[in-house]
Amino acid sequence: MSDGLTLSALLAHPRNGGTRHVAGGERTERTWSSAVVETSEDALPPSADSALAVIVSGPPSAPWQLDALLRRVRDRGFTGLVLPDAAAVHESASLADRLGLVLLVVDRPWELARTCWEMLEQRDAMTLSLVRHVAQSIEYHAEDLPDQLRHVAANLGYGVALVDRAGVLVSAGPPLAQGVLEEISFSGWADTVRTDAGACASVRVESPSREGLRLVVHGAALTDAQLAALTTAAEVAMPMVAARLLLDEIAAVSDVSLSSGLLSDFLEQKGAPDPDVERRMRERGWRTSGFHVGFRMLARGRLDPFELVRAVRRELGRLPVDSHVTTRGRGVLGWLTFADRPSPTDLERRIAALRDVHATAGDQFPVATGVGSLQEGGQGMVSTLEEAADAARLAVSRSSSSWFLHIDRLGLEQLLLAWTGNDTFLPTAQALLAPLTAAERATLTAFLDHESQVAATATALGVHRNTVTGRMQRIQEALGIDLDDPEARLAVHLACRAVAPAG
């Protein structure tokens, strides 16, 4: 049994012959139980019950003749009419609205006729057609998974996406609507979704290396018959996607292994020229010229370094800066490269961006991150990477800083602590902070350590950001100090460190 041919499904179908809506049917969805395709009006049956008429020959050129054609078709019981596109058809739009007749134009009538037949009468034919297009994609020698999905989407005429619970991983064709993605079930083998934002069919991807993946084929205004056919097409395409995913992961592991070995070779040279290493670095797109900031993410527990490097690369790809990262021991090692020396403000933005990368990675992996200072040239690149490694080792024990340390701030911190740890400064610092409770002193210290960032302070303390905001208001009132004043901030920061140097 057919579930009918709807106007929205017909217009959204990728192989509707270039059908476009002219008039009628805007207020409510129009559904036809049958479609009659004829070469001329004379061949149409004398009566029809809410059917769609498709006339493949050209319409009359005179507007009055076309108006008469619309009336006769409506009088026969047809509620929809498709004609080859012509200027006169559009001039009769207002009459079609008054008659309650859906008026459409088409570029390729016979392609539309086949689609109507498939959607109304031959679900198996629709399924076989989609499966045949998937088979063509299987024969295609794709470069990688995105290329494979692009070919599948182009052959099917629908959007295709690989998703997990966190969102879309790879997609091709029209984007998958967020409203549709949110309704996809990850519990069963196959699932269909229909929302106001669109519809989709999805199947679980049986991958030996990745869990929780689904292959989604989606479009707008899909009928039950289309969803059933697309489910079958997705089931046929799934093994191909799983195999391509495995091949890409093998290639990625090999690439990470090569890049890790190359970085080890470079670090062993301590920045000294080595023609072979330099050639391999150029081939990989690594350049030692310019300015560099190294970073190191070190495991605080058990983790897969390859999964970590993949997650970090994904986040670094969103930054407008040349960046590289590879595995290194129990974590990853990477760096940012600038063609020209960045301004202090721009450098601070990049360090803040690395902090965001650390926070995002920390949601999935137990890591501590250290960041080196800005250095120039090949030897400078070695230095900043070594600094990052030192900072990361210290960050492992610094939960108060959310396990993130920048070597420049670390050096200043050590200098200030040495200066403030004397008998003269300590009583003054204690008197300054006396009006504050222990919780307020801890909040103030964390707030200054995190550069007045409320969200970072809240994360470090494990409290809500509104709690931090309220405490900071009370703190400034109690101390009578304007923390926007740089000298006042420095004095209060020194006092906090002197009173509680361990945080």
Side-chain angles (χ1 to χ4, degrees), residues 231-310:
T231 299
T232 302
E235 289 176 324
V236 174
M238 186 279 292
M240 169 189 64
V241 172
R244 183 72 258 180
L245 184 65
L246 182 59
L247 289 174
D248 287 357
E249 290 184 345
I250 292 173
V253 170
S254 176
D255 179 75
V256 169
S257 177
L258 291 174
S259 65
S260 180
L262 175 57
L263 183 59
S264 296
D265 292 344
F266 171 72
L267 294 176
E268 288 177 2
Q269 299 298 321
K270 298 293 184 181
D274 185 299
D276 179 62
V277 171
E278 291 178 355
R279 174 187 58 79
R280 291 156 57 199
M281 293 180 71
R282 286 195 302 270
E283 291 174 351
R284 187 164 286 275
W286 298 356
R287 53 191 175 91
T288 55
S289 60
F291 297 82
H292 314 279
V293 173
F295 65 90
R296 170 77 158 131
M297 284 190 180
L298 196 61
R300 294 186 291 106
R302 297 186 61 182
L303 58 75
D304 182 348
F306 177 70
E307 290 295 328
L308 176 60
V309 79
R310 177 159 48 190

Side-chain angles (χ1 to χ4, degrees), residues 426-458:
L426 188 57
T428 305
Q430 290 172 334
L432 175 65
L433 301 178
L436 304 183
T437 66
E440 288 172 341
R441 286 199 302 271
T443 301
L444 177 59
T445 302
F447 184 77
L448 296 173
D449 284 347
H450 290 86
E451 301 173 0
S452 304
Q453 297 182 27
V454 174
T457 303

Side-chain angles (χ1 to χ4, degrees), residues 108-350:
R108 300 177 297 281
W110 291 114
E111 183 179 6
L112 172 64
R114 178 179 178 83
T115 294
C116 290
W117 172 68
E118 288 181 348
M119 295 178 73
L120 284 165
E121 305 295 341
Q122 295 291 331
R123 290 190 180 187
D124 290 343
M126 185 190 307
T127 301
L128 290 173
S129 175
L130 292 174
V131 169
R132 185 171 65 252
H133 289 302
V134 171
Q136 293 172 353
S137 299
I138 294 175
E139 296 174 356
Y140 173 69
H141 296 289
E143 295 181 359
D144 51 23
L145 182 59
D147 185 34
Q148 189 82 71
L149 294 188
R150 282 193 296 269
H151 201 74
V152 173
N155 279 341
L156 291 179
Y158 295 94
V160 179
L162 183 68
V163 306
D164 62 11
R165 295 182 185 275
V168 177
L169 301 176
V170 186
S171 65
L176 177 62
Q178 183 64 29
V180 176
L181 174 62
E182 292 173 353
E183 295 298 321
I184 294 175
S185 171
F186 285 80
S187 58
W189 163 250
D191 179 54
T192 59
V193 171
R194 182 182 286 112
T195 71
D196 293 339
C200 78
S202 70
V203 297
R204 184 172 62 242
V205 176
E206 300 289 356
S207 171
S209 58
R210 301 282 296 277
E211 295 182 354
L213 301 180
R214 294 190 77 85
L215 176 64
V216 182
V217 185
H218 58 93
L222 301 179
T223 65
D224 289 344
Q226 286 175 289
L227 285 173
L230 289 176
T231 299
T232 302
E235 289 176 324
V236 174
M238 186 279 292
M240 169 189 64
V241 172
R244 183 72 258 180
L245 184 65
L246 182 59
L247 289 174
D248 287 357
E249 290 184 345
I250 292 173
V253 170
S254 176
D255 179 75
V256 169
S257 177
L258 291 174
S259 65
S260 180
L262 175 57
L263 183 59
S264 296
D265 292 344
F266 171 72
L267 294 176
E268 288 177 2
Q269 299 298 321
K270 298 293 184 181
D274 185 299
D276 179 62
V277 171
E278 291 178 355
R279 174 187 58 79
R280 291 156 57 199
M281 293 180 71
R282 286 195 302 270
E283 291 174 351
R284 187 164 286 275
W286 298 356
R287 53 191 175 91
T288 55
S289 60
F291 297 82
H292 314 279
V293 173
F295 65 90
R296 170 77 158 131
M297 284 190 180
L298 196 61
R300 294 186 291 106
R302 297 186 61 182
L303 58 75
D304 182 348
F306 177 70
E307 290 295 328
L308 176 60
V309 79
R310 177 159 48 190
V312 172
R313 280 181 175 176
R314 183 166 56 247
E315 295 303 314
L316 289 175
R318 299 187 173 98
L319 304 182
V321 63
D322 185 16
S323 60
H324 306 279
V325 63
T326 187
T327 56
R328 181 78 171 176
R330 296 186 303 112
V332 300
L333 186 63
W335 64 96
L336 310 182
T337 295
F338 306 87
D340 302 307
R341 180 184 291 275
S343 66
T345 301
D346 188 43
L347 181 59
E348 283 301 316
R349 283 201 297 265
R350 302 308 175 204

Side-chain angles (χ1 to χ4, degrees), residues 24-56:
E26 291 92 345
R27 294 181 179 85
T28 59
E29 177 70 288
R30 191 62 59 90
T31 303
W32 298 287
S33 59
S34 64
V36 180
V37 182
E38 298 292 351
T39 58
S40 65
E41 177 201 353
D42 295 339
L44 292 175
S47 63
D49 183 14
S50 299
L52 175 67
V54 181
I55 299 177
V56 301

